[in-house]
Amino acid sequence: MLPRASLKAIRPSTPSLRLRSTRHVLPSASHSVRNYAASRKSPPPPPAGRPSNKPPPAQPYPGASGSSKQTSPGTSIPKDQGAKAQDGAKMGAAVGAGTAGQRPMPSAANAQNAAEDAAQKSAGSGLGGGDRKPQEPAAQRADADEPVPGSIRDAAQEKQAEAENITPPPEPPSGAPEESMHTGPLPDLRQGLPSTFDLEFGGKGLKKDSADASEAADGTDMTASSSDQGSRERREREEREYQQSDYETSLDRSRARMANIMYAVLLSGFASTLIYTSRPFPSNAEIPTGLAPEDAEGWSPTSMYRRIRARFGNQVGYYTEPTFPKLLPEVPEAQRPPFTLVLSLEDLLIHSSWDRTNGYKVAKRPGIDYFIRYLSQYYELVLFTSVPLAIADPVIKKLDPYHFILWPLGREATKYEGGEYIKDLSYLNRDLKKTLIIDTHAPHVKNQPENAIVLPKWTGSPRDDHAKDLVSLIPFLEYVATMGIEDVRPVLKSFEGQDIAQEFIRRESVAREEFHRQLDEQKKRSPRFGIGSLGSALGMKGAGSMGGGLVLADGQSVGEGLAQGKMMSDMIREQGQKQYEHLEKQIREHGEQWLKEEEEEQRKLMEGQMKEMKKGALSWFGGGGGGGKD
């Protein structure tokens, strides 16, 4: 079927049917001929006495072509009563024959056609004149004007299709299922629209690939027509499987190319860095600590690795070493206790737990206040925890509000090594001969195990079997601090593999028995009256005792205590207990006042710092006005 634009182009705008030649005009009597054909009646006979004008056989019209073929004019009669496709061909043949013979139409027919034209014009002028639009043919509306195979219209349609280079789509074979029309996968539009550049502009390569594939599969058919080859190529394009590269744009390819260049540059830079850092040390260069002299030279893989590690040691140490090489400040020995005791926090002084009802809970170990306050008169107490100090600081304030623990240290002061946070005592800036550490995790103290006391972890329950292990160490720690021991490491070595508290009680009981035996022997050998008795009568206390003139801090004579059967450790313990009781009395009486004064001092300190910050901020806008005084 021809397009509607083509039908309008070749449809006449006047009632008469005009051909391409301007010399001949077919009057509107053709409508009558169409009506005769529709009604299946014979035309009226010619007037009497006039010979019949029978048209000659059809002759080809030289001025007509396939592109200017004529169509039947419109009609308002029903489809089943309209003119057939063969009528238009016959009428065209008759007109061509009349034109070729240069024979005019009968005068009676011309008169009748002129009358009909006049009647149509008068009717048209009554309905709007020449402005009335032509009526669309009923056959065209019903799609009944399809060309007859082999007719002029069919030939014209084929020529127009060839002129537009349009290849008709292949018709499916008869009886083929509907699913066979589409056999190729559809593109995955979730990845984007696939590129059609190769299909539009790379047809040669694509046709070559498809031809090669078809030749390899079925062999080349040299007898196939061009239409069969075109349909095969189109089917192969439809059945093509889209790859990931089909969705890439030129910008994506450019980015991938730049990324490959960047990777190559980074890889070459990394290799150059490794080669440079693994170079041997010069003979006059200082060898880093921990690097063997034999590894300072040579190109063996082991030596190269050790040199790289030695050169990068300082950089890695920023993350693995403590924040400062000296964690505690320099304090003269006259202003601090001679011994230093380092305590862990988690599972030793406290125990934290979590449940759905209460969230996090922190339990305080029984007797921890007595332990800290009693030993503060003999030791410089240091709290060393493996958690960050910002997290541990609120707990420490609750645990020790009166600051008997002098120096709190957090994770920032630990040494990270082998996946463990190690509490290295060599960074404390204290003599290791007089330093002890108590912890519940052996890897924390693996650098100085000879200075460590490792206790079992406390589970947080007061009925735990190990709840009193920390308090039971007080007699041993007091003995070490008061008996003038020069190095604590041999002492701890003697208790290795044993419970220090129980073993110390056993040893102390043995020493007490030996002391009483020696005291009894001395009393038997010494006279009842002597210089000591005379000195006592004159008011000189302890003049004749074994302790000589030694007096403790509370005024108690050592000689009198020995005479009463008390060991030196017993007298020191009594003195320490008196000092602890006095300290507890001071806390009960003045503890709240101390806390308020401390809070007030912190508030004033914060206000002063805030003022300094404001002055510094205003100095940026006021031209250095922050340097003035209030």
Side-chain angles (χ1 to χ4, degrees), residues 555-597:
Q556 181 182 359
S557 174
V558 176
E560 291 180 358
L562 294 176
Q564 295 174 5
K566 298 179 181 180
M567 298 176 58
M568 180 65 69
S569 59
D570 296 334
M571 290 183 286
I572 293 175
R573 189 170 299 130
E574 290 178 358
Q575 179 187 3
Q577 190 65 29
K578 291 179 181 179
Q579 292 183 0
Y580 169 74
E581 293 176 356
H582 176 73
L583 180 61
E584 286 292 316
K585 181 179 179 182
Q586 294 292 326
I587 292 175
R588 288 192 299 268
E589 294 177 356
H590 308 286
E592 294 183 1
Q593 181 180 357
W594 294 345
L595 295 178
K596 290 180 180 179
E597 292 177 354

mmCIF file of all heavy atoms in Angstrom, residues 555-597:
data_model
loop_
_atom_site.group_PDB
_atom_site.id
_atom_site.type_symbol
_atom_site.label_atom_id
_atom_site.label_comp_id
_atom_site.label_asym_id
_atom_site.label_seq_id
_atom_site.Cartn_x
_atom_site.Cartn_y
_atom_site.Cartn_z
ATOM 1 N N GLY A 555 58.304 7.368 117.703
ATOM 2 C CA GLY A 555 58.916 7.494 119.023
ATOM 3 C C GLY A 555 59.141 6.179 119.729
ATOM 4 O O GLY A 555 59.680 6.162 120.845
ATOM 5 N N GLN A 556 58.752 5.075 119.135
ATOM 6 C CA GLN A 556 58.913 3.774 119.770
ATOM 7 C C GLN A 556 60.361 3.323 119.657
ATOM 8 O O GLN A 556 60.969 3.409 118.589
ATOM 9 C CB GLN A 556 57.982 2.742 119.110
ATOM 10 C CG GLN A 556 58.070 1.354 119.743
ATOM 11 C CD GLN A 556 57.161 0.355 119.032
ATOM 12 O OE1 GLN A 556 56.477 0.727 118.092
ATOM 13 N NE2 GLN A 556 57.162 -0.889 119.484
ATOM 14 N N SER A 557 60.936 2.839 120.767
ATOM 15 C CA SER A 557 62.315 2.383 120.792
ATOM 16 C C SER A 557 62.393 0.969 120.227
ATOM 17 O O SER A 557 61.578 0.107 120.568
ATOM 18 C CB SER A 557 62.864 2.405 122.221
ATOM 19 O OG SER A 557 64.141 1.838 122.272
ATOM 20 N N VAL A 558 63.370 0.771 119.359
ATOM 21 C CA VAL A 558 63.547 -0.547 118.769
ATOM 22 C C VAL A 558 63.997 -1.531 119.820
ATOM 23 O O VAL A 558 63.591 -2.701 119.831
ATOM 24 C CB VAL A 558 64.565 -0.471 117.616
ATOM 25 C CG1 VAL A 558 64.850 -1.848 117.046
ATOM 26 C CG2 VAL A 558 64.072 0.459 116.534
ATOM 27 N N GLY A 559 64.821 -1.065 120.766
ATOM 28 C CA GLY A 559 65.321 -1.944 121.812
ATOM 29 C C GLY A 559 64.193 -2.452 122.687
ATOM 30 O O GLY A 559 64.174 -3.635 123.061
ATOM 31 N N GLU A 560 63.277 -1.582 123.053
ATOM 32 C CA GLU A 560 62.160 -2.028 123.865
ATOM 33 C C GLU A 560 61.295 -3.039 123.126
ATOM 34 O O GLU A 560 60.793 -4.003 123.716
ATOM 35 C CB GLU A 560 61.310 -0.832 124.285
ATOM 36 C CG GLU A 560 61.996 0.077 125.280
ATOM 37 C CD GLU A 560 61.108 1.247 125.678
ATOM 38 O OE1 GLU A 560 59.959 1.327 125.103
ATOM 39 O OE2 GLU A 560 61.509 2.054 126.515
ATOM 40 N N GLY A 561 61.103 -2.813 121.842
ATOM 41 C CA GLY A 561 60.298 -3.773 121.077
ATOM 42 C C GLY A 561 60.965 -5.123 120.987
ATOM 43 O O GLY A 561 60.290 -6.156 121.088
ATOM 44 N N LEU A 562 62.265 -5.137 120.800
ATOM 45 C CA LEU A 562 62.951 -6.404 120.753
ATOM 46 C C LEU A 562 62.903 -7.102 122.115
ATOM 47 O O LEU A 562 62.804 -8.339 122.167
ATOM 48 C CB LEU A 562 64.407 -6.194 120.331
ATOM 49 C CG LEU A 562 64.619 -5.669 118.889
ATOM 50 C CD1 LEU A 562 66.093 -5.413 118.639
ATOM 51 C CD2 LEU A 562 64.080 -6.672 117.864
ATOM 52 N N ALA A 563 63.005 -6.297 123.179
ATOM 53 C CA ALA A 563 62.936 -6.886 124.512
ATOM 54 C C ALA A 563 61.574 -7.497 124.770
ATOM 55 O O ALA A 563 61.452 -8.472 125.528
ATOM 56 C CB ALA A 563 63.257 -5.834 125.564
ATOM 57 N N GLN A 564 60.539 -6.953 124.133
ATOM 58 C CA GLN A 564 59.185 -7.487 124.297
ATOM 59 C C GLN A 564 58.909 -8.668 123.375
ATOM 60 O O GLN A 564 57.802 -9.191 123.366
ATOM 61 C CB GLN A 564 58.159 -6.384 124.024
ATOM 62 C CG GLN A 564 58.232 -5.241 125.042
ATOM 63 C CD GLN A 564 57.308 -4.095 124.654
ATOM 64 O OE1 GLN A 564 56.559 -4.196 123.692
ATOM 65 N NE2 GLN A 564 57.372 -3.002 125.423
ATOM 66 N N GLY A 565 59.875 -9.062 122.587
ATOM 67 C CA GLY A 565 59.698 -10.208 121.705
ATOM 68 C C GLY A 565 59.129 -9.852 120.330
ATOM 69 O O GLY A 565 58.614 -10.736 119.635
ATOM 70 N N LYS A 566 59.240 -8.587 119.960
ATOM 71 C CA LYS A 566 58.732 -8.154 118.647
ATOM 72 C C LYS A 566 59.878 -8.106 117.646
ATOM 73 O O LYS A 566 60.961 -7.601 117.945
ATOM 74 C CB LYS A 566 58.102 -6.762 118.740
ATOM 75 C CG LYS A 566 56.906 -6.686 119.662
ATOM 76 C CD LYS A 566 56.357 -5.268 119.702
ATOM 77 C CE LYS A 566 55.163 -5.167 120.650
ATOM 78 N NZ LYS A 566 54.622 -3.784 120.704
ATOM 79 N N MET A 567 59.583 -8.619 116.500
ATOM 80 C CA MET A 567 60.543 -8.522 115.408
ATOM 81 C C MET A 567 60.506 -7.114 114.812
ATOM 82 O O MET A 567 59.566 -6.341 115.025
ATOM 83 C CB MET A 567 60.233 -9.563 114.324
ATOM 84 C CG MET A 567 60.334 -11.002 114.817
ATOM 85 S SD MET A 567 59.848 -12.190 113.542
ATOM 86 C CE MET A 567 60.980 -11.788 112.234
ATOM 87 N N MET A 568 61.539 -6.792 114.043
ATOM 88 C CA MET A 568 61.594 -5.471 113.427
ATOM 89 C C MET A 568 60.408 -5.274 112.470
ATOM 90 O O MET A 568 59.814 -4.208 112.410
ATOM 91 C CB MET A 568 62.907 -5.312 112.670
ATOM 92 C CG MET A 568 63.062 -3.963 111.991
ATOM 93 S SD MET A 568 63.159 -2.579 113.162
ATOM 94 C CE MET A 568 64.756 -2.892 113.903
ATOM 95 N N SER A 569 60.041 -6.294 111.730
ATOM 96 C CA SER A 569 58.895 -6.182 110.817
ATOM 97 C C SER A 569 57.604 -5.953 111.589
ATOM 98 O O SER A 569 56.708 -5.232 111.098
ATOM 99 C CB SER A 569 58.789 -7.449 109.961
ATOM 100 O OG SER A 569 58.636 -8.599 110.789
ATOM 101 N N ASP A 570 57.513 -6.527 112.773
ATOM 102 C CA ASP A 570 56.300 -6.316 113.562
ATOM 103 C C ASP A 570 56.197 -4.868 114.019
ATOM 104 O O ASP A 570 55.105 -4.266 113.977
ATOM 105 C CB ASP A 570 56.308 -7.241 114.787
ATOM 106 C CG ASP A 570 56.267 -8.707 114.401
ATOM 107 O OD1 ASP A 570 55.741 -8.989 113.280
ATOM 108 O OD2 ASP A 570 56.753 -9.543 115.167
ATOM 109 N N MET A 571 57.313 -4.305 114.441
ATOM 110 C CA MET A 571 57.283 -2.919 114.897
ATOM 111 C C MET A 571 57.009 -1.961 113.720
ATOM 112 O O MET A 571 56.276 -0.986 113.856
ATOM 113 C CB MET A 571 58.611 -2.576 115.578
ATOM 114 C CG MET A 571 58.789 -3.286 116.931
ATOM 115 S SD MET A 571 60.323 -2.824 117.765
ATOM 116 C CE MET A 571 61.509 -3.736 116.753
ATOM 117 N N ILE A 572 57.573 -2.242 112.558
ATOM 118 C CA ILE A 572 57.320 -1.394 111.373
ATOM 119 C C ILE A 572 55.857 -1.495 110.965
ATOM 120 O O ILE A 572 55.232 -0.493 110.569
ATOM 121 C CB ILE A 572 58.258 -1.800 110.228
ATOM 122 C CG1 ILE A 572 59.712 -1.463 110.587
ATOM 123 C CG2 ILE A 572 57.862 -1.112 108.932
ATOM 124 C CD1 ILE A 572 60.719 -1.933 109.565
ATOM 125 N N ARG A 573 55.286 -2.673 111.076
ATOM 126 C CA ARG A 573 53.876 -2.847 110.703
ATOM 127 C C ARG A 573 52.974 -2.095 111.674
ATOM 128 O O ARG A 573 51.964 -1.495 111.252
ATOM 129 C CB ARG A 573 53.550 -4.342 110.682
ATOM 130 C CG ARG A 573 52.185 -4.667 110.110
ATOM 131 C CD ARG A 573 52.034 -6.149 109.906
ATOM 132 N NE ARG A 573 53.018 -6.657 108.969
ATOM 133 C CZ ARG A 573 53.782 -7.729 109.230
ATOM 134 N NH1 ARG A 573 53.683 -8.368 110.390
ATOM 135 N NH2 ARG A 573 54.670 -8.145 108.336
ATOM 136 N N GLU A 574 53.332 -2.112 112.944
ATOM 137 C CA GLU A 574 52.538 -1.359 113.902
ATOM 138 C C GLU A 574 52.603 0.135 113.614
ATOM 139 O O GLU A 574 51.601 0.849 113.701
ATOM 140 C CB GLU A 574 53.034 -1.652 115.324
ATOM 141 C CG GLU A 574 52.728 -3.055 115.811
ATOM 142 C CD GLU A 574 53.268 -3.307 117.195
ATOM 143 O OE1 GLU A 574 53.913 -2.366 117.743
ATOM 144 O OE2 GLU A 574 53.086 -4.415 117.726
ATOM 145 N N GLN A 575 53.791 0.603 113.284
ATOM 146 C CA GLN A 575 53.939 2.014 112.958
ATOM 147 C C GLN A 575 53.145 2.369 111.694
ATOM 148 O O GLN A 575 52.463 3.397 111.627
ATOM 149 C CB GLN A 575 55.418 2.349 112.776
ATOM 150 C CG GLN A 575 55.658 3.801 112.417
ATOM 151 C CD GLN A 575 57.115 4.066 112.067
ATOM 152 O OE1 GLN A 575 57.928 3.147 112.050
ATOM 153 N NE2 GLN A 575 57.446 5.307 111.809
ATOM 154 N N GLY A 576 53.216 1.509 110.659
ATOM 155 C CA GLY A 576 52.462 1.771 109.441
ATOM 156 C C GLY A 576 50.969 1.758 109.666
ATOM 157 O O GLY A 576 50.235 2.551 109.054
ATOM 158 N N GLN A 577 50.506 0.876 110.551
ATOM 159 C CA GLN A 577 49.077 0.829 110.845
ATOM 160 C C GLN A 577 48.622 2.098 111.549
ATOM 161 O O GLN A 577 47.519 2.614 111.281
ATOM 162 C CB GLN A 577 48.797 -0.403 111.709
ATOM 163 C CG GLN A 577 47.329 -0.718 111.885
ATOM 164 C CD GLN A 577 46.658 -1.113 110.578
ATOM 165 O OE1 GLN A 577 47.309 -1.656 109.685
ATOM 166 N NE2 GLN A 577 45.376 -0.822 110.469
ATOM 167 N N LYS A 578 49.459 2.611 112.451
ATOM 168 C CA LYS A 578 49.109 3.864 113.130
ATOM 169 C C LYS A 578 49.026 5.025 112.134
ATOM 170 O O LYS A 578 48.107 5.843 112.208
ATOM 171 C CB LYS A 578 50.145 4.162 114.217
ATOM 172 C CG LYS A 578 50.099 3.203 115.402
ATOM 173 C CD LYS A 578 51.173 3.557 116.421
ATOM 174 C CE LYS A 578 51.145 2.586 117.603
ATOM 175 N NZ LYS A 578 52.209 2.891 118.599
ATOM 176 N N GLN A 579 49.957 5.070 111.209
ATOM 177 C CA GLN A 579 49.922 6.144 110.209
ATOM 178 C C GLN A 579 48.701 6.016 109.295
ATOM 179 O O GLN A 579 48.090 7.023 108.901
ATOM 180 C CB GLN A 579 51.210 6.132 109.392
ATOM 181 C CG GLN A 579 52.438 6.534 110.182
ATOM 182 C CD GLN A 579 53.686 6.575 109.318
ATOM 183 O OE1 GLN A 579 53.643 6.305 108.130
ATOM 184 N NE2 GLN A 579 54.820 6.908 109.958
ATOM 185 N N TYR A 580 48.326 4.785 108.954
ATOM 186 C CA TYR A 580 47.143 4.596 108.121
ATOM 187 C C TYR A 580 45.885 5.054 108.861
ATOM 188 O O TYR A 580 45.001 5.698 108.276
ATOM 189 C CB TYR A 580 47.028 3.124 107.728
ATOM 190 C CG TYR A 580 45.705 2.775 107.079
ATOM 191 C CD1 TYR A 580 45.419 3.150 105.769
ATOM 192 C CD2 TYR A 580 44.718 2.092 107.814
ATOM 193 C CE1 TYR A 580 44.194 2.850 105.197
ATOM 194 C CE2 TYR A 580 43.506 1.787 107.240
ATOM 195 C CZ TYR A 580 43.244 2.174 105.932
ATOM 196 O OH TYR A 580 42.028 1.884 105.369
ATOM 197 N N GLU A 581 45.782 4.716 110.149
ATOM 198 C CA GLU A 581 44.614 5.142 110.935
ATOM 199 C C GLU A 581 44.550 6.652 111.029
ATOM 200 O O GLU A 581 43.468 7.250 110.965
ATOM 201 C CB GLU A 581 44.670 4.502 112.326
ATOM 202 C CG GLU A 581 44.495 2.995 112.300
ATOM 203 C CD GLU A 581 44.662 2.383 113.672
ATOM 204 O OE1 GLU A 581 44.983 3.149 114.614
ATOM 205 O OE2 GLU A 581 44.497 1.154 113.816
ATOM 206 N N HIS A 582 45.706 7.289 111.174
ATOM 207 C CA HIS A 582 45.719 8.747 111.222
ATOM 208 C C HIS A 582 45.282 9.337 109.870
ATOM 209 O O HIS A 582 44.540 10.331 109.833
ATOM 210 C CB HIS A 582 47.127 9.230 111.597
ATOM 211 C CG HIS A 582 47.259 10.712 111.587
ATOM 212 N ND1 HIS A 582 46.697 11.530 112.571
ATOM 213 C CD2 HIS A 582 47.905 11.560 110.718
ATOM 214 C CE1 HIS A 582 46.974 12.783 112.311
ATOM 215 N NE2 HIS A 582 47.717 12.833 111.192
ATOM 216 N N LEU A 583 45.709 8.717 108.784
ATOM 217 C CA LEU A 583 45.317 9.193 107.458
ATOM 218 C C LEU A 583 43.817 9.029 107.242
ATOM 219 O O LEU A 583 43.155 9.930 106.679
ATOM 220 C CB LEU A 583 46.106 8.424 106.393
ATOM 221 C CG LEU A 583 45.823 8.780 104.929
ATOM 222 C CD1 LEU A 583 46.162 10.253 104.652
ATOM 223 C CD2 LEU A 583 46.609 7.873 104.003
ATOM 224 N N GLU A 584 43.254 7.929 107.675
ATOM 225 C CA GLU A 584 41.820 7.710 107.527
ATOM 226 C C GLU A 584 41.027 8.734 108.351
ATOM 227 O O GLU A 584 39.963 9.214 107.912
ATOM 228 C CB GLU A 584 41.460 6.294 107.969
ATOM 229 C CG GLU A 584 41.865 5.214 106.992
ATOM 230 C CD GLU A 584 41.054 5.303 105.694
ATOM 231 O OE1 GLU A 584 39.829 5.500 105.762
ATOM 232 O OE2 GLU A 584 41.670 5.208 104.611
ATOM 233 N N LYS A 585 41.540 9.084 109.502
ATOM 234 C CA LYS A 585 40.870 10.092 110.318
ATOM 235 C C LYS A 585 40.867 11.443 109.616
ATOM 236 O O LYS A 585 39.851 12.157 109.620
ATOM 237 C CB LYS A 585 41.572 10.183 111.673
ATOM 238 C CG LYS A 585 40.941 11.182 112.616
ATOM 239 C CD LYS A 585 41.677 11.216 113.955
ATOM 240 C CE LYS A 585 41.065 12.242 114.882
ATOM 241 N NZ LYS A 585 41.799 12.309 116.181
ATOM 242 N N GLN A 586 41.965 11.792 108.998
ATOM 243 C CA GLN A 586 42.037 13.064 108.278
ATOM 244 C C GLN A 586 41.073 13.076 107.075
ATOM 245 O O GLN A 586 40.441 14.095 106.781
ATOM 246 C CB GLN A 586 43.473 13.302 107.787
ATOM 247 C CG GLN A 586 44.480 13.505 108.902
ATOM 248 C CD GLN A 586 44.228 14.830 109.652
ATOM 249 O OE1 GLN A 586 43.798 15.833 109.078
ATOM 250 N NE2 GLN A 586 44.487 14.812 110.951
ATOM 251 N N ILE A 587 40.951 11.951 106.416
ATOM 252 C CA ILE A 587 40.032 11.888 105.264
ATOM 253 C C ILE A 587 38.588 12.022 105.730
ATOM 254 O O ILE A 587 37.774 12.712 105.087
ATOM 255 C CB ILE A 587 40.255 10.570 104.496
ATOM 256 C CG1 ILE A 587 41.633 10.584 103.808
ATOM 257 C CG2 ILE A 587 39.155 10.354 103.459
ATOM 258 C CD1 ILE A 587 41.984 9.287 103.130
ATOM 259 N N ARG A 588 38.246 11.384 106.838
ATOM 260 C CA ARG A 588 36.873 11.489 107.329
ATOM 261 C C ARG A 588 36.534 12.907 107.748
ATOM 262 O O ARG A 588 35.404 13.377 107.559
ATOM 263 C CB ARG A 588 36.663 10.527 108.502
ATOM 264 C CG ARG A 588 36.624 9.071 108.092
ATOM 265 C CD ARG A 588 36.113 8.216 109.255
ATOM 266 N NE ARG A 588 36.982 8.321 110.416
ATOM 267 C CZ ARG A 588 37.998 7.519 110.676
ATOM 268 N NH1 ARG A 588 38.288 6.526 109.817
ATOM 269 N NH2 ARG A 588 38.725 7.658 111.775
ATOM 270 N N GLU A 589 37.510 13.601 108.305
ATOM 271 C CA GLU A 589 37.250 14.949 108.808
ATOM 272 C C GLU A 589 37.346 16.014 107.723
ATOM 273 O O GLU A 589 36.568 16.970 107.738
ATOM 274 C CB GLU A 589 38.228 15.269 109.944
ATOM 275 C CG GLU A 589 38.035 14.405 111.178
ATOM 276 C CD GLU A 589 39.058 14.711 112.251
ATOM 277 O OE1 GLU A 589 39.957 15.564 111.966
ATOM 278 O OE2 GLU A 589 38.998 14.133 113.358
ATOM 279 N N HIS A 590 38.280 15.873 106.831
ATOM 280 C CA HIS A 590 38.546 16.940 105.861
ATOM 281 C C HIS A 590 38.448 16.483 104.400
ATOM 282 O O HIS A 590 38.809 17.249 103.509
ATOM 283 C CB HIS A 590 39.954 17.514 106.099
ATOM 284 C CG HIS A 590 40.211 17.913 107.505
ATOM 285 N ND1 HIS A 590 39.675 19.051 108.075
ATOM 286 C CD2 HIS A 590 40.967 17.318 108.495
ATOM 287 C CE1 HIS A 590 40.075 19.166 109.332
ATOM 288 N NE2 HIS A 590 40.862 18.124 109.620
ATOM 289 N N GLY A 591 37.983 15.280 104.158
ATOM 290 C CA GLY A 591 37.946 14.778 102.799
ATOM 291 C C GLY A 591 37.052 15.601 101.878
ATOM 292 O O GLY A 591 37.444 15.951 100.750
ATOM 293 N N GLU A 592 35.850 15.921 102.336
ATOM 294 C CA GLU A 592 34.924 16.703 101.499
ATOM 295 C C GLU A 592 35.481 18.095 101.215
ATOM 296 O O GLU A 592 35.326 18.625 100.115
ATOM 297 C CB GLU A 592 33.570 16.792 102.184
ATOM 298 C CG GLU A 592 32.857 15.455 102.311
ATOM 299 C CD GLU A 592 31.490 15.617 102.938
ATOM 300 O OE1 GLU A 592 31.109 16.777 103.250
ATOM 301 O OE2 GLU A 592 30.782 14.602 103.112
ATOM 302 N N GLN A 593 36.106 18.680 102.231
ATOM 303 C CA GLN A 593 36.686 20.006 102.021
ATOM 304 C C GLN A 593 37.818 19.943 100.987
ATOM 305 O O GLN A 593 37.940 20.843 100.133
ATOM 306 C CB GLN A 593 37.208 20.542 103.351
ATOM 307 C CG GLN A 593 37.822 21.927 103.237
ATOM 308 C CD GLN A 593 38.336 22.433 104.566
ATOM 309 O OE1 GLN A 593 38.176 21.763 105.606
ATOM 310 N NE2 GLN A 593 38.966 23.594 104.556
ATOM 311 N N TRP A 594 38.620 18.886 101.034
ATOM 312 C CA TRP A 594 39.693 18.751 100.053
ATOM 313 C C TRP A 594 39.143 18.648 98.632
ATOM 314 O O TRP A 594 39.664 19.261 97.694
ATOM 315 C CB TRP A 594 40.529 17.512 100.373
ATOM 316 C CG TRP A 594 41.287 17.611 101.671
ATOM 317 C CD1 TRP A 594 41.528 18.736 102.396
ATOM 318 C CD2 TRP A 594 41.887 16.533 102.366
ATOM 319 N NE1 TRP A 594 42.243 18.444 103.531
ATOM 320 C CE2 TRP A 594 42.493 17.082 103.532
ATOM 321 C CE3 TRP A 594 42.000 15.160 102.172
ATOM 322 C CZ2 TRP A 594 43.166 16.300 104.467
ATOM 323 C CZ3 TRP A 594 42.684 14.381 103.086
ATOM 324 C CH2 TRP A 594 43.268 14.954 104.227
ATOM 325 N N LEU A 595 38.081 17.887 98.487
ATOM 326 C CA LEU A 595 37.489 17.724 97.160
ATOM 327 C C LEU A 595 36.902 19.029 96.637
ATOM 328 O O LEU A 595 37.031 19.356 95.446
ATOM 329 C CB LEU A 595 36.407 16.638 97.201
ATOM 330 C CG LEU A 595 36.899 15.217 97.521
ATOM 331 C CD1 LEU A 595 35.722 14.255 97.572
ATOM 332 C CD2 LEU A 595 37.921 14.747 96.496
ATOM 333 N N LYS A 596 36.257 19.819 97.524
ATOM 334 C CA LYS A 596 35.706 21.107 97.100
ATOM 335 C C LYS A 596 36.801 22.078 96.708
ATOM 336 O O LYS A 596 36.685 22.805 95.705
ATOM 337 C CB LYS A 596 34.859 21.696 98.210
ATOM 338 C CG LYS A 596 33.552 20.946 98.466
ATOM 339 C CD LYS A 596 32.752 21.595 99.581
ATOM 340 C CE LYS A 596 31.446 20.847 99.835
ATOM 341 N NZ LYS A 596 30.667 21.462 100.938
ATOM 342 N N GLU A 597 37.879 22.093 97.478
ATOM 343 C CA GLU A 597 38.988 22.981 97.136
ATOM 344 C C GLU A 597 39.611 22.589 95.796
ATOM 345 O O GLU A 597 39.956 23.447 94.978
ATOM 346 C CB GLU A 597 40.035 22.932 98.250
ATOM 347 C CG GLU A 597 39.560 23.556 99.556
ATOM 348 C CD GLU A 597 40.596 23.422 100.651
ATOM 349 O OE1 GLU A 597 41.630 22.747 100.399
ATOM 350 O OE2 GLU A 597 40.382 23.971 101.760
#
